[in-house]
Amino acid sequence: MAGELSPQARQKLLEIARRSVEAAVRGERPSVPACDDPELQAQRGCFVTLTTRGRLRGCLGCFTARQPLWRVVADMARASATEDSRFFGQPLTRHDLPDLRIEISVLSPMTKIANPLDIELGVHGIYVVGRHGGAGTFLPQVATEHRMTKEQFLSSCCAHKAGLPPDAWRTGEAEVFTYTAEVFGEEPSHTD
């Protein structure tokens, strides 16, 4: 992907995300100092995914940003730890922190596509918007992690994320947008 972040910028974002999550789980104010790295000043959308022992524990993000990337990562990391409604009954605790793994997906701008089957699995994320309401997204890595076909990827996003009929992408009831993501995360050895 053109414009990839340097290894140092990626590491800095992971450190920011971890500090933000740890503060949120402990009920503390985030202590994320301002970052003046020019690479991290771009206004880009991102998603922060949290897992423990291979199980999803939070994933929230935004497609566009009006703040620098480092700040968006800090905010989305905190939100993933405390605001993902799928996990309100089982919030992250201090005991989860040693097993926590953080993955960040920094997004490209979205592009509307005429033919949803033009997506490239493992490369494109999709954002599905219903013509009469409802919207949802799947990050690019969802298709490969779950070994989905293009049709399964699109139908599952419609039904399970956007609250639309599974074939809404095919019938014209929904518009499909694509984006790419630069995905990186903590090494699994971090939790040993």
Side-chain angles (χ1 to χ4, degrees):
M1 170 180 181
E4 283 192 6
L5 297 167
S6 70
Q8 296 82 5
R10 288 178 172 204
Q11 186 58 41
K12 182 69 174 174
L13 289 176
L14 289 167
E15 290 168 8
I16 289 169
R18 181 159 283 278
R19 287 178 75 168
S20 186
V21 168
E22 288 178 352
V25 167
R26 292 184 174 120
E28 302 168 356
R29 291 185 55 144
S31 61
V32 179
C35 177
D36 60 2
D37 182 336
E39 264 191 292
L40 304 182
Q41 295 303 314
Q43 295 180 352
R44 296 178 67 184
C46 73
F47 276 71
V48 176
T49 303
L50 308 176
T51 57
T52 54
R53 295 172 214 87
R55 288 185 27 231
L56 181 66
R57 294 304 309 276
C59 180
L60 292 177
C62 60
F63 290 105
T64 60
R66 295 177 190 254
Q67 299 181 60
L69 179 58
W70 69 269
R71 171 52 64 196
V72 176
V73 165
D75 292 347
M76 291 302 103
R78 180 197 47 75
S80 292
T82 61
E83 298 175 17
D84 190 330
S85 61
R86 295 171 290 184
F87 301 98
F88 281 163
Q90 48 188 327
L92 282 172
T93 67
R94 293 175 191 219
H95 300 293
D96 292 316
L97 293 177
D99 295 318
L100 182 69
R101 182 168 184 273
I102 298 172
E103 181 178 88
I104 299 172
S105 301
V106 178
L107 308 182
S108 71
M110 287 192 289
T111 303
K112 182 179 173 184
I113 59 172
N115 180 359
L117 292 175
D118 287 344
I119 60 173
E120 189 174 340
L121 295 177
V123 173
H124 292 126
I126 55 172
Y127 180 59
V128 177
V129 181
R131 296 209 184 273
H132 304 291
T137 192
F138 272 156
L139 294 170
Q141 57 269 39
V142 170
T144 51
E145 288 172 1
H146 297 281
R147 296 182 175 95
M148 295 176 157
T149 64
K150 290 179 181 183
E151 292 84 353
Q152 290 168 330
F153 191 52
L154 290 157
S155 294
S156 185
C157 188
C158 286
H160 301 294
K161 289 294 191 162
L164 301 168
D167 64 348
W169 63 272
R170 192 185 311 261
T171 64
E173 294 175 62
E175 296 178 316
V176 179
F177 297 80
T178 62
Y179 56 90
T180 58
E182 181 179 349
V183 182
F184 53 95
E186 295 176 327
E187 296 301 319
S189 61
H190 180 81
T191 60
D192 290 346

